Amino acid sequence: MQFGRCYEEFEVGALYKHWPGRTITESDDMLFCMLTMNHNPLHIDANYTENTQFKQPLVAGPLVFSIALGMSVGDVSGKAIANLEFEYVRHLGPTFHGDTIYAETKVLDKKLSTSKPDRGVVTVETIAYNQRGETVLSFKRRVMVPTKAHDAVRLRAREEKIAAARVKR
Amino acid sequence: MQFGRCYEEFEVGALYKHWPGRTITESDDMLFCMLTMNHNPLHIDANYTENTQFKQPLVAGPLVFSIALGMSVGDVSGKAIANLEFEYVRHLGPTFHGDTIYAETKVLDKKLSTSKPDRGVVTVETIAYNQRGETVLSFKRRVMVPTKAHDAVRLRAREEKIAAARVKR
């Protein structure tokens, strides 16, 4: 199974459709809000939301964002050395309890490091959309990833460590 | 208890120090990663991280971000009509299991809506820092909040609804 990508494996213009999607349940959202101290009644008070624009609770934006990002790890940042920054995170539509979110990522740019040629920075945009085809979120981020040669060295070090530990047994 | 702010209550240049802080445990981080499908080994494989720059797991960036945002709700967006966008989210330093995060928010700008004068858009920057005084995250966001008059109408509607329900009993 491929998990993440090395610098050479990113092609500017490529589109990665992440799989699988994720239905965001009421339970997910309540747990997330409590875990992150987000007590906005828009997310946790169903009675309050009856008097708001959508007349029902909205899934907390950071949960939609975090899931879309999580979905992209296997295709984008699973081998990352560092996640540098998000240039923007835009909420483009509401997510309600029971909605299913899918995500896809486009490669916008890549640049090999001049000071450390064993790594490079990749710029991608990820969008999340729901079962009704509505785009609900987009974000642009920069990730530092290893070259194939660097990744191979890391992999060999991990394998040798495990092998040595097993020999000792 | 004050929870959130109306448009008139934001003053450009004001700094809100959020309270309390939050120690991010290993358990928090693992739960968060599973909940958001974020299987990056930097967060969930302690053995893998022994060969990385910090030689230990990093708390997932979206968890630090989500907690800092959650901390700001009581001072900033607790009365929000909508959370519009994040202009940037920057990871400025690592967060490790057991680190304690604090956050504060500065008001950068405010603008009353011209089409709907019962609301306005406030721009704020939030930073998160740890027990060592290191800034670990910053983000800038735009939030749509009600005026005092609009908020009073919403509050009266909620109170009348509850009162009517209680009379029926």
Side-chain angles (χ1 to χ4, degrees):
Chain A
M1 172 180 165
Q2 185 191 16
F3 191 80
R5 273 184 166 79
C6 296
Y7 182 75
E8 295 89 336
E9 295 168 320
F10 286 93
E11 187 191 347
V12 174
L15 182 72
Y16 312 135
K17 288 179 173 276
H18 311 309
W19 185 257
R22 169 86 150 79
T23 305
I24 305 184
T25 69
E26 182 177 34
S27 160
D28 287 330
D29 190 31
M30 194 64 91
L31 174 61
F32 183 90
C33 286
M34 295 302 110
L35 189 67
T36 63
M37 305 168 83
N38 190 329
H39 297 172
N40 195 320
L42 282 173
H43 312 310
I44 67 166
D45 182 340
N47 181 61
Y48 170 92
T49 58
E50 283 180 19
N51 290 323
T52 61
Q53 180 185 1
F54 297 110
K55 306 190 187 314
Q56 60 181 303
L58 294 175
V59 173
L63 177 53
V64 182
F65 164 65
S66 297
I67 287 178
L69 180 72
M71 286 173 174
S72 77
V73 170
D75 289 319
V76 176
S77 56
K79 296 181 191 292
I81 297 169
N83 291 298
L84 301 172
E85 69 164 347
F86 296 87
E87 199 172 305
Y88 56 75
V89 180
R90 291 180 188 141
H91 294 299
L92 304 171
T95 296
F96 304 113
H97 297 155
D99 278 358
T100 303
I101 298 299
Y102 298 96
E104 59 187 44
T105 296
K106 191 170 183 179
V107 182
L108 301 181
D109 191 30
K110 60 187 278 190
K111 198 164 186 294
L112 202 62
S113 168
T114 46
S115 56
K116 294 184 178 176
D118 65 348
R119 62 196 65 186
V121 173
V122 176
T123 305
V124 298
E125 184 189 49
T126 299
I127 67 162
Y129 53 97
N130 63 24
Q131 76 277 13
R132 293 180 294 277
E134 301 156 347
T135 303
V136 295
L137 181 94
S138 70
F139 61 82
K140 183 173 168 183
R141 71 164 164 152
R142 295 195 312 123
V143 189
M144 182 182 287
V145 294
T147 58
K148 281 184 178 178
H150 181 171
D151 188 53
V153 170
R154 299 195 309 182
L155 177 60
R156 198 158 53 239
R158 290 198 301 277
E159 286 184 342
E160 284 173 1
K161 184 181 149 201
I162 296 279
R166 288 179 68 84
V167 164
K168 277 200 197 128
R169 288 175 57 88
Chain B
M1 173 180 166
Q2 185 191 18
F3 191 80
R5 275 185 164 80
C6 296
Y7 182 77
E8 295 89 337
E9 294 169 320
F10 286 93
E11 188 191 346
V12 175
L15 182 71
Y16 312 134
K17 288 180 172 276
H18 312 309
W19 185 256
R22 169 86 151 79
T23 305
I24 304 185
T25 68
E26 183 177 33
S27 160
D28 287 330
D29 190 30
M30 193 65 89
L31 174 61
F32 183 90
C33 286
M34 295 301 110
L35 189 66
T36 63
M37 305 168 82
N38 190 329
H39 297 172
N40 194 321
L42 282 173
H43 312 310
I44 67 167
D45 182 340
N47 181 62
Y48 171 92
T49 59
E50 284 181 19
N51 289 324
T52 62
Q53 181 185 0
F54 297 110
K55 305 189 188 314
Q56 59 182 302
L58 294 175
V59 173
L63 177 54
V64 182
F65 163 66
S66 297
I67 287 178
L69 179 72
M71 287 173 174
S72 77
V73 170
D75 289 319
V76 176
S77 56
K79 296 182 191 291
I81 296 169
N83 290 299
L84 301 172
E85 69 164 347
F86 297 88
E87 199 171 305
Y88 55 74
V89 180
R90 292 181 187 140
H91 294 299
L92 303 171
T95 296
F96 305 113
H97 297 155
D99 278 358
T100 303
I101 298 299
Y102 299 96
E104 60 187 45
T105 297
K106 192 169 183 179
V107 182
L108 301 181
D109 191 30
K110 60 186 277 190
K111 197 163 185 297
L112 202 62
S113 168
T114 46
S115 57
K116 294 184 177 175
D118 64 349
R119 62 196 64 186
V121 173
V122 176
T123 305
V124 298
E125 184 189 49
T126 300
I127 66 162
Y129 53 97
N130 62 25
Q131 75 278 13
R132 293 180 294 276
E134 301 156 348
T135 302
V136 295
L137 181 93
S138 70
F139 61 83
K140 183 172 168 183
R141 71 165 164 151
R142 296 195 310 125
V143 189
M144 182 182 287
V145 294
T147 58
K148 280 184 178 178
H150 180 171
D151 188 53
V153 170
R154 298 195 309 182
L155 177 60
R156 198 158 54 240
R158 289 198 300 278
E159 286 183 342
E160 283 173 1
K161 184 180 149 201
I162 295 280
R166 288 179 69 84
V167 164
K168 277 201 199 131
R169 288 175 57 88

